Amino acid sequence: YLEALDLTGLDEETTHRLKAHFDFYHSRLSEIERLHAEADRYEYHSNAILDSEDKDELRAMKFDGVNSRMRAELEDRREKRLSALSLRDLKVQEEANAAELRLEIESAPSSAALDLIKIVGVNTAQEEELKHLFMIKRQLLVTEEHQNAILGCEYVLELDALLLEGTNSEQLA
């Protein structure tokens, strides 16, 4: 812009001062442009971190075009995103484990088979729910097993020899 101006009528000192002002404002504008470019790159990288669903992709990200403070913030944000994705993966795994255990408990053919099931790989709330389901299913299976044993007896002596443990009086009615 300054190059297009005709400075021939100005003395050397005025031309020098004008050139110094131009250089000063040009450097300021260049710095402002650089800061805007860094802010744009920071926003781009920040959005890329938030949008990423792949941990390997996150780890491979390079944060170019930003200053060291921004790079440190982006690296911190990446670590937090990696943690969030890991937690989500863990939650998905816990949900899958809970569903599998729920199916195993509900499908157990006998109390002995049910007793072989171990409730692991789930969170505390799921563990409590599964333990409750386990207890109910166990009571039902034990009651059914006792009813079958009673119905299978032909003599009173066989009935007297039966041990009916783990069944309450309501279940026997």
Side-chain angles (χ1 to χ4, degrees), residues 33 35-45 65-66 70:
E33 185 62 32
L35 292 174
H36 282 297
E38 282 182 354
D40 289 344
R41 291 301 296 165
Y42 177 82
E43 184 178 350
Y44 169 79
H45 290 308
V66 295
M70 290 175 171

Side-chain angles (χ1 to χ4, degrees), residues 143-155 158-159 162 164 167 172:
T143 301
E144 185 180 303
E145 290 166 359
H146 288 330
Q147 285 175 342
N148 290 338
I150 291 169
L151 293 174
C153 290
E154 294 181 19
Y155 303 103
E158 290 178 22
L159 284 172
L162 286 178
L164 302 178
T167 306
L172 291 175

Side-chain angles (χ1 to χ4, degrees), residues 31-80:
E31 179 65 14
I32 289 170
E33 185 62 32
R34 185 188 64 77
L35 292 174
H36 282 297
E38 282 182 354
D40 289 344
R41 291 301 296 165
Y42 177 82
E43 184 178 350
Y44 169 79
H45 290 308
S46 188
N47 289 336
I49 290 169
L50 293 175
D51 292 341
S52 179
E53 298 292 326
D54 183 6
K55 289 190 261 183
D56 292 331
E57 176 186 300
L58 269 172
R59 287 185 190 102
M61 282 184 183
K62 303 290 183 213
F63 304 125
D64 59 341
V66 295
N67 63 41
S68 59
R69 181 187 54 81
M70 290 175 171
R71 185 173 291 111
E73 288 176 18
L74 289 167
E75 288 170 356
D76 184 51
R77 186 167 291 161
R78 174 177 43 196
E79 290 305 315
K80 288 178 182 175

